[in-house]
Amino acid sequence: MVIGGDAAGMSAASQARRLRGPDELEIVAFERGHFSSFSACGIPYWVGGDVPERDRLIARTPEEHRARDIDLRMRTEVVEIDVEGARVRVRDVESGAESWTSYDKLVIATGARPIRPVLPGVDAPGVHGVQTLDDGQALLDTLSTTKGRRAVVVGAGYIGVEMAEALINRGYEVTVVNRGKEPMSTLDPDMGRLVHRAMAGMGITMVDDAEVTKVLTGDDGRVRAVATDDAEYPADVVVLGIGVRPETELAKAAGLPVGDHGGLLTDLSMRVRGHDDIWAGGDCVEVLDLVTGRERHIPLGTHANKHGQVIGSNVGGGYATFPGVVGTAVSKVCDLEIARTGLREKDARRAGLQYVTVTIESTSRAGYYPGAAPMTVKMLAERRTGRLLGVQIVGREGAGKRVDIAAVALTAGMTVEQMTVLDLGYAPPFSPVWDPILVAARKAATAVRSSAS
Amino acid sequence: MVIGGDAAGMSAASQARRLRGPDELEIVAFERGHFSSFSACGIPYWVGGDVPERDRLIARTPEEHRARDIDLRMRTEVVEIDVEGARVRVRDVESGAESWTSYDKLVIATGARPIRPVLPGVDAPGVHGVQTLDDGQALLDTLSTTKGRRAVVVGAGYIGVEMAEALINRGYEVTVVNRGKEPMSTLDPDMGRLVHRAMAGMGITMVDDAEVTKVLTGDDGRVRAVATDDAEYPADVVVLGIGVRPETELAKAAGLPVGDHGGLLTDLSMRVRGHDDIWAGGDCVEVLDLVTGRERHIPLGTHANKHGQVIGSNVGGGYATFPGVVGTAVSKVCDLEIARTGLREKDARRAGLQYVTVTIESTSRAGYYPGAAPMTVKMLAERRTGRLLGVQIVGREGAGKRVDIAAVALTAGMTVEQMTVLDLGYAPPFSPVWDPILVAARKAATAVRSSAS
């Protein structure tokens, strides 16, 4: 039995089905929403017009799942888990009818819930989240019926910046209101500063260090502005992109173990700790950070899919583990690419690690090759040992995915000295003769030697 | 004393100078050509018009080197190394005057020599190599003075395919004549087949499995066609892109150790084996293949620069090593990206390794995102252990540099099973939710399990 019909849940169901036919394993899945297996990460590109229609974001419809002998029940919410009795109480969302149903093995994939600030006016028409396809459709409806062209995005994390791009592409004047000193708090502030500058250069009004205190509405009840302590920002539409929290109310009520970040705690096989027959994956769990050895909450489709794959393999009688993450993320706003992996300075400090940090400027291609675009790479390495701790990248085309080089090096526990001689692909259209990651590694290795005392 | 004023030699000189000032270390370098520190890899893009002028390919002029207290003597050829006497005989190329000069430490960076087939007519006007800036200028002169628009490229390795692109960009009808069954013999034939198809689709005439037997000239003595055993291919210009051999005649005559591929043999600090005061790097040396533990000859600017860096550090009193390569290469022909790292099937067989191989199709971005282009990834893993052995990629924009993920994994000795959970950057504009490398790793891991018996 699977709770949640999106990436983690349905990947688990599909993988288990691949390993065990319907005669061997019955699979039932409950989804309270209208859609299964959709790409939430794609919503900004649908809203922005890059993806022409909603259904392109649906990887597999309920009918397709059912054709694979997965009994997926839509608009059916699980409202209680009875761990002792190995059963769940389900409610038909339309009729309200409830019933108990038993499981042998349970997969919890309830995802995450967007953080919606408790603010006066936040529920006014014209204020939108962007977590579900229904949210995306509602926002598109607002955009198509609203005459004004002023948009305020609340939050400057990756959802915020992606939505800023989407609204620019729709022809809006965009203001991004951000609690932090710089956008992209997943970067160190010095790298966030580069994002700030680039976004401002795109004509986006960046309001940093500002807390939204109120959503102001007009006579028609619709949003007309967003207020902070200091100012008001006129808005014909407001998008909330503040982030998400693990959706674990159900699990907590059932007494399942939840970590400091509110996510379910699992073992390496994605089994909920202390529960042999309950598994959990996706945005509702915490994952092990391989660099610090601590749990984190990282809601990302790519992890959810891997979790599902691992759970499905184990439930289906195979064997797989999810060892953890190094914290890789990549996003873009217009032609600016932003990437990170591993630890920021504050993460390293919090983990008790001493480190050196270097920042270099290079280009994505050979300097003389057309389209060579500047990119900035910041690298953290542990003092003395020289172990790579993290990389942050801000640049243009070809910059972002270079973070994968560092992600693999982090996973392998490489030192920056070892990284200086990595055999990376070189040709003028692809890289300078020293790839920017190698340039950063060389500088970091020098800094490590100076820190050896 | 440095022999050779290009990437390896001048990187070594520059790095040594960074560590030791002119009062501590005298540096003299000899270069027989007209240019120092130029990007041979950039020549196809200069010829093709992407790089507007020759001097953009020069990283550092002789004057710039001299301003850094490196006594670089141009048009000066070293014609003999007297190891016993720790001296070299140099000849002024213009005057022919010769003299002996002594060294304390010698760096050999003589590079590689293009393979020029011994063929009737190969020296006719209109037949060009593309190894040096002088070669590039001569070819450009021919292109600007020749009316006909038919070009034949001999060789379909990376120089050949890059020159095919350059000539297409110049408006030529291009024929590529290739000894092998498929272009890009650095790939397995099944992957080479994809390159063949793509190049044919660009309007390039692909002649495979064909040996050029003669260059035919017209009444004016200029090239008019290239002949194979079977056919003649009219040509107004012919480009030889057959590859290079280590330039080690000088070293061999001096009794220095040379390997099976004709390159100098060094230790990990890039010191010539058995010689405490002689170093060598760049295209004239063999490098250790970290996957097979055997020596190879891989002429690539990125290795040459690293060698120079290592040599300069050691000569300058620091410490650095070049552990070896995994065989990464990336190139493109028009919008087709071609990459490889590690072993091909025949390399694995030759090394005595049993392996599984998988090939997958995916896209460079999320399938629904604009510009998502198909890419093919082939992966080799060792039977039973599942250790990654190699990756080959053929695709469009965003495909090629993904080979770096595999290059780092190879360096770290990862198994394909470990690679299935790598934390790679994901967002729809950058990757499907399962990066193509992860898709290949998953399929390879399954194949390894089936091969376990």
Side-chain angles (χ1 to χ4, degrees):
Chain A
M1 178 181 297
V2 178
I3 309 177
D6 205 352
M10 299 319 289
S11 291
S14 301
Q15 174 66 4
R17 178 55 77 228
R18 251 172 245 131
L19 299 178
R20 293 280 173 257
D23 297 343
E24 295 180 291
L25 184 72
E26 186 188 344
I27 304 177
V28 56
F30 301 111
E31 167 56 47
R32 66 183 176 192
H34 293 97
F35 303 99
S36 65
S37 302
F38 70 91
S39 170
C41 343
I43 291 174
Y45 309 102
W46 169 40
V47 171
D50 282 328
V51 177
E53 53 192 22
R54 185 194 68 194
D55 288 358
R56 300 286 296 276
L57 301 183
I58 298 175
R60 211 169 265 181
T61 63
E63 293 69 32
E64 289 171 316
H65 283 299
R66 288 183 201 122
R68 287 171 168 80
D69 292 307
I70 295 166
D71 179 9
L72 172 56
R73 306 189 193 165
M74 301 300 294
R75 301 292 284 151
T76 307
E77 184 168 10
V78 173
V79 291
E80 187 180 348
I81 303 171
D82 171 10
V83 171
E84 195 68 31
R87 58 181 192 158
V88 301
R89 186 155 55 93
V90 298
R91 177 187 295 157
D92 182 300
V93 175
E94 310 293 347
S95 72
E98 293 193 358
S99 61
W100 285 96
T101 172
S102 299
Y103 61 80
D104 295 314
K105 295 182 180 183
L106 180 67
V107 177
I108 301 174
T110 43
R113 171 204 298 270
I115 297 169
R116 207 172 163 94
V118 184
L119 289 176
V122 77
D123 294 321
V127 181
H128 293 273
V130 284
Q131 174 80 353
T132 66
L133 293 182
D134 288 333
D135 291 342
Q137 190 59 60
L139 172 56
L140 277 169
D141 292 346
T142 290
L143 298 183
S144 67
T145 56
T146 304
K147 287 216 181 59
R149 302 315 265 173
R150 295 164 307 183
V152 171
V153 176
V154 181
Y158 71 94
I159 301 173
V161 303
E162 288 168 2
M163 287 311 303
E165 171 182 335
L167 291 160
I168 282 181
N169 288 350
R170 289 276 175 193
Y172 280 75
E173 287 172 39
V174 178
T175 299
V176 175
V177 181
N178 172 27
R179 261 170 104 153
K181 288 217 189 313
E182 302 293 350
M184 295 303 292
S185 64
T186 50
L187 305 180
D188 282 324
D190 51 341
M191 295 296 282
R193 188 84 206 143
L194 302 180
V195 177
H196 181 116
R197 265 186 231 145
M199 290 179 73
M202 293 165 195
I204 299 170
T205 304
M206 303 294 293
V207 182
D208 295 320
D209 226 346
E211 187 89 44
V212 172
T213 52
K214 207 186 296 188
V215 175
L216 303 172
T217 51
D219 294 341
D220 58 358
R222 292 193 75 267
V223 61
R224 66 168 177 83
V226 163
T228 67
D229 276 338
D230 302 323
E232 280 183 25
Y233 301 93
D236 303 300
V237 61
V238 172
V239 174
L240 303 174
I242 309 183
V244 298
R245 284 208 193 93
E247 178 75 278
T248 47
E249 292 311 313
L250 202 57
K252 278 191 264 190
L256 298 177
V258 163
D260 293 343
H261 310 282
L264 277 158
L265 297 175
T266 72
D267 66 14
L268 291 172
S269 73
M270 300 309 294
R271 211 162 43 180
V272 172
R273 288 186 202 166
H275 295 267
D276 280 356
D277 298 321
I278 306 180
W279 314 73
D283 291 358
C284 67
V285 304
E286 298 188 4
V287 291
L288 185 64
D289 182 324
L290 295 170
V291 187
T292 61
R294 296 296 188 94
E295 313 287 335
R296 295 174 61 181
H297 179 239
I298 304 184
L300 262 183
T302 187
H303 300 329
N305 272 277
K306 290 193 189 102
H307 294 167
Q309 185 76 18
V310 166
I311 294 170
S313 295
N314 291 322
V315 168
Y319 171 62
T321 62
F322 184 82
V325 303
V326 291
T328 312
V330 58
S331 49
K332 78 181 195 64
V333 47
C334 301
D335 68 341
L336 188 77
E337 300 188 357
I338 306 158
R340 52 146 289 148
T341 190
L343 308 186
R344 295 165 298 181
E345 293 197 42
K346 72 175 174 186
D347 302 320
R349 280 194 297 269
R350 196 180 295 149
L353 294 167
Q354 292 192 17
Y355 59 89
V356 299
T357 166
V358 298
T359 302
I360 64 98
E361 306 277 335
S362 183
T363 52
S364 54
R365 308 165 186 255
Y368 54 77
Y369 192 87
M375 58 183 279
T376 305
V377 179
K378 177 171 181 172
M379 189 174 278
L380 270 72
E382 192 183 10
R383 183 180 165 197
R384 290 192 185 160
T385 71
R387 179 169 65 113
L388 177 68
L389 294 179
V391 163
Q392 297 164 46
I393 300 172
V394 175
R396 307 279 164 165
E397 195 229 314
K401 271 294 258 181
R402 274 185 162 85
V403 78
D404 287 346
I405 298 165
V408 184
L410 269 174
T411 306
M414 283 187 183
T415 66
V416 289
E417 185 87 36
Q418 290 174 311
M419 290 177 72
T420 61
V421 285
L422 280 174
D423 185 3
L424 304 180
Y426 161 63
F430 297 95
S431 174
V433 71
W434 290 97
D435 190 280
I437 296 288
L438 298 179
V439 176
R442 277 170 64 184
K443 193 168 176 186
T446 302
V448 167
R449 287 194 292 273
S450 310
S451 78
S453 63
Chain B
M1 179 180 297
V2 178
I3 309 177
D6 204 354
M10 298 320 289
S11 291
S14 301
Q15 175 66 3
R17 177 56 75 229
R18 249 172 247 131
L19 299 178
R20 292 281 172 256
D23 296 342
E24 295 179 293
L25 183 71
E26 185 188 345
I27 305 178
V28 55
F30 300 112
E31 166 56 47
R32 66 183 176 190
H34 293 97
F35 303 98
S36 66
S37 303
F38 70 92
S39 171
C41 344
I43 292 175
Y45 309 103
W46 169 39
V47 171
D50 283 327
V51 177
E53 52 193 20
R54 186 193 67 193
D55 289 357
R56 299 287 295 276
L57 300 184
I58 297 174
R60 210 167 267 181
T61 62
E63 293 68 34
E64 289 170 318
H65 283 300
R66 287 181 203 122
R68 286 170 169 81
D69 291 308
I70 295 167
D71 179 9
L72 171 56
R73 305 189 193 166
M74 301 300 293
R75 302 293 281 153
T76 308
E77 184 169 10
V78 173
V79 292
E80 185 181 348
I81 304 172
D82 170 11
V83 172
E84 196 67 31
R87 58 181 193 157
V88 302
R89 185 156 56 93
V90 298
R91 176 187 295 157
D92 182 302
V93 175
E94 311 292 345
S95 70
E98 294 193 357
S99 61
W100 285 96
T101 171
S102 299
Y103 61 80
D104 295 314
K105 295 184 179 181
L106 179 66
V107 177
I108 302 175
T110 43
R113 171 204 298 269
I115 297 170
R116 204 171 165 97
V118 185
L119 288 176
V122 77
D123 294 322
V127 181
H128 293 272
V130 283
Q131 175 77 354
T132 65
L133 293 183
D134 288 333
D135 292 341
Q137 189 60 59
L139 173 56
L140 277 170
D141 292 345
T142 289
L143 298 183
S144 67
T145 56
T146 305
K147 286 216 180 60
R149 302 316 264 174
R150 294 164 308 182
V152 171
V153 176
V154 181
Y158 73 92
I159 302 173
V161 303
E162 288 169 1
M163 286 312 302
E165 171 181 335
L167 291 160
I168 282 181
N169 289 350
R170 288 276 176 192
Y172 281 75
E173 287 172 39
V174 178
T175 299
V176 175
V177 182
N178 171 27
R179 262 168 104 153
K181 287 216 191 312
E182 302 293 351
M184 294 305 290
S185 64
T186 50
L187 305 179
D188 282 323
D190 52 339
M191 296 296 282
R193 188 84 208 143
L194 302 180
V195 177
H196 181 116
R197 265 186 230 144
M199 289 179 74
M202 293 165 194
I204 299 170
T205 303
M206 302 295 292
V207 182
D208 294 321
D209 225 347
E211 187 88 45
V212 173
T213 53
K214 207 187 294 187
V215 175
L216 304 173
T217 52
D219 294 341
D220 58 357
R222 291 194 76 264
V223 63
R224 67 167 177 84
V226 163
T228 66
D229 276 337
D230 302 323
E232 280 183 26
Y233 301 93
D236 303 300
V237 60
V238 173
V239 174
L240 304 174
I242 309 185
V244 298
R245 284 208 193 93
E247 179 75 278
T248 48
E249 293 311 312
L250 203 58
K252 277 192 265 191
L256 298 178
V258 163
D260 293 344
H261 309 280
L264 277 159
L265 297 176
T266 73
D267 66 14
L268 291 171
S269 73
M270 301 308 295
R271 211 163 44 180
V272 173
R273 287 187 203 166
H275 294 267
D276 279 356
D277 297 322
I278 306 181
W279 314 74
D283 291 359
C284 67
V285 304
E286 298 188 2
V287 290
L288 184 64
D289 182 323
L290 295 170
V291 188
T292 61
R294 297 295 189 95
E295 312 288 335
R296 294 175 62 182
H297 179 240
I298 305 183
L300 261 183
T302 186
H303 300 329
N305 273 279
K306 290 191 190 103
H307 294 167
Q309 185 77 17
V310 167
I311 293 170
S313 295
N314 292 321
V315 168
Y319 171 62
T321 62
F322 184 82
V325 304
V326 292
T328 311
V330 59
S331 49
K332 81 178 193 63
V333 47
C334 301
D335 68 341
L336 188 77
E337 300 188 357
I338 306 159
R340 52 146 289 149
T341 190
L343 309 186
R344 295 163 300 179
E345 293 197 43
K346 70 175 177 186
D347 301 321
R349 280 194 298 269
R350 196 179 293 148
L353 294 167
Q354 292 192 17
Y355 59 88
V356 299
T357 166
V358 299
T359 302
I360 64 99
E361 305 277 336
S362 183
T363 51
S364 54
R365 308 164 186 256
Y368 54 78
Y369 192 87
M375 58 183 279
T376 305
V377 179
K378 177 171 181 171
M379 189 175 278
L380 271 71
E382 192 182 11
R383 185 179 164 198
R384 290 193 186 159
T385 71
R387 179 169 64 113
L388 177 69
L389 294 179
V391 163
Q392 296 164 47
I393 299 173
V394 175
R396 308 278 165 166
E397 197 227 313
K401 271 294 258 181
R402 275 186 161 85
V403 78
D404 287 346
I405 298 164
V408 184
L410 269 174
T411 306
M414 283 189 183
T415 66
V416 289
E417 185 86 35
Q418 289 174 311
M419 289 176 73
T420 62
V421 286
L422 280 174
D423 185 3
L424 304 180
Y426 163 64
F430 296 95
S431 173
V433 71
W434 291 96
D435 189 281
I437 295 289
L438 298 179
V439 176
R442 278 171 62 185
K443 192 167 176 187
T446 303
V448 168
R449 288 194 291 273
S450 310
S451 78
S453 62

